[in-house]
Amino acid sequence: MDEWEELARTVPATLMQVGSGMEAVRKIQVAHRKIQGRAGLMRNIRFGMPAAIAMSLFDDPAPVGVCPTVTLEEARCEISRGAARHAMADHVFVRYVELLGIQHEPPCTSRDTHHREAIRFTAMALEKVREAASLAEAAKDAVDIAETLLPQPDLKTEWALAAQDLAERADYEATQALEFVKRARDVVALEFFDTWTILRRGRARSAEMKEWRELALKVPGTIMLIGDAELETLELIQAAVSKFQKHVELLQEVRHGTATATAVDNFTDPDPEGALPTELLENARRGMSKSAVRHAKAHHIFARYAAFLGIQGDEEYRSWDSKHQEAAGSMVAALKKVIDAVSDAEAAKDAVAMVGILPYQCPLWELWALRAQNQTSLSSFNATLAILDVRQAREAFFVEVLRAWLILRRYGSLQLLDDSASLWSSSTPA
């Protein structure tokens, strides 16, 4: 992008050279005056100038020493060189606005219109120059023939009139060539002003794009950090599952004869040195929520950068976006299961409290003891499923990072240390 922007900044100068170049105009004007002089000499025959004198002057009327066909050929070469520079400038600028993604917006549409008009007028000018040169040469041939017919006045006059007609037509074509060259220059001037407007807009857009690119460069590292953070989440949930399993074992013992008071006392935390399982899950939930927010922000940044590049429809980007959605979906599923696990654990805690109040092994006691065991088992089950979802999310994070790297490298935006990838790979779950 930077290279195309640098090239695009040279376009106004090129257009100024094309639009302000006077060499082709000067040469056509010189040839035009010569052709007019020749046509005037042929007309003078009709007003009494001796044909021999008129035809002898035909080769070199003022300006002296100028051959109109040679001068017109030089003018044609000048116009062609200008057209080539104009075409190259257009190629650069079209590529530049495509990279900016504004090719279908004004003033790009106006510039395109002016560019096409300039091409049309230039093509017509070239055609008129060729016609003028051809007619001027034909007029010279007619005069050469007339000179050989001096002893035959009637034939000589006819060829002289033919030379006059050809010279006048060459005069008209040269006049038309001048008109089209000037019109092409005027349209190129309008194209010049459109180009400057687009460049000013492009600089602002390019600066904005650079900001998003710098942010996009941080996306792979951000996702790597999110994946690493989920390792702690896994440890918290696994610790909670371990405690839930101890709770289930304790409740099974209660239902088979362990003193209720002991069970109620030990149910809150079978491991007094650690945190409650619900606290562990709440910590895991808060961590996952933060990771989900960061993950969503990373997606917004990368999607915005892709929009600047105009690659939303590319297979690589769609693949990256699909993997992002997969990772986000796994995170949402894990969050829901953790929330359910906490809710079931709270219900189990309430059921255990009822067990401590009711008479031992009465029907209601049995019902509440079974409910406490089932709710605790359900908490353990949901937390175990959450572990699977977190692992799936981390695997999706890994692929998402790799695909983001590929996209950034493809567009020349990424310079990362190779060992960062190896560090991430070493932390990826099997």
Side-chain angles (χ1 to χ4, degrees), residues 178-411:
L178 276 174
E179 177 64 21
F180 286 126
V181 168
K182 291 175 180 178
R183 291 174 72 177
R185 292 173 66 234
D186 291 342
V187 176
V188 168
L190 296 176
E191 184 182 352
F192 168 85
F193 290 114
D194 287 337
T195 300
W196 265 117
T197 302
I198 295 167
L199 276 174
R200 287 196 297 268
R201 179 178 176 184
R203 287 192 188 104
R205 191 178 182 92
S206 180
E208 184 181 1
M209 182 176 178
K210 286 178 181 177
E211 292 179 3
W212 284 105
R213 181 176 60 187
E214 290 176 2
L215 291 172
L217 290 173
K218 299 177 182 178
V219 166
T222 299
I223 299 175
M224 288 167 62
L225 292 175
I226 292 171
D228 290 339
E230 293 311 296
L231 281 175
E232 182 179 351
T233 297
L234 284 174
E235 292 175 358
L236 291 171
I237 299 175
Q238 287 169 344
V241 169
S242 177
K243 292 197 173 189
F244 283 140
Q245 290 173 347
K246 291 180 180 179
H247 285 177
V248 172
E249 293 172 0
L250 180 60
L251 289 170
Q252 288 175 343
E253 292 176 2
V254 168
R255 293 183 61 207
H256 291 88
T258 301
T260 302
T262 303
V264 172
D265 291 341
N266 291 338
F267 185 83
T268 302
D269 189 7
D271 180 10
E273 299 298 325
L276 295 174
T278 51
E279 292 176 354
L280 295 172
L281 291 178
E282 281 295 328
N283 289 337
R285 183 192 61 77
R286 283 191 289 269
M288 282 192 291
S289 295
K290 291 179 182 178
S291 294
V293 171
R294 294 177 69 189
H295 192 226
K297 288 181 179 179
H299 179 270
H300 171 72
I301 290 170
F302 210 74
R304 185 68 171 144
Y305 179 58
F308 271 111
L309 294 175
I311 61 171
Q312 302 97 314
D314 290 4
E315 179 60 30
E316 287 180 351
Y317 176 78
R318 290 202 304 268
S319 176
W320 173 84
D321 186 66
S322 174
K323 190 55 64 173
H324 170 87
Q325 300 302 332
E326 180 182 331
S330 296
M331 290 289 285
V332 169
L335 273 168
K336 185 178 183 302
K337 291 180 176 67
V338 166
I339 292 171
D340 290 344
V342 171
S343 177
D344 292 331
E346 292 294 338
K349 183 178 178 181
D350 294 337
V352 169
M354 293 298 296
V355 169
I357 296 171
L358 295 170
Y360 180 63
Q361 290 189 339
C362 72
L364 283 177
W365 184 94
E366 288 282 355
L367 178 63
W368 282 104
L370 180 60
R371 179 176 296 181
Q373 180 179 332
N374 290 341
Q375 291 292 135
T376 304
S377 297
L378 188 56
S379 294
S380 180
F381 178 73
N382 282 324
T384 301
L385 292 179
I387 290 173
L388 297 177
D389 289 329
V390 171
R391 286 175 176 167
Q392 289 178 356
R394 294 193 74 249
E395 291 172 359
F397 288 151
F398 175 66
V399 179
E400 186 180 353
V401 167
L402 292 181
R403 290 178 180 171
W405 271 339
L406 290 175
I407 292 172
L408 290 168
R409 284 198 178 99
R410 177 182 175 185
Y411 292 94

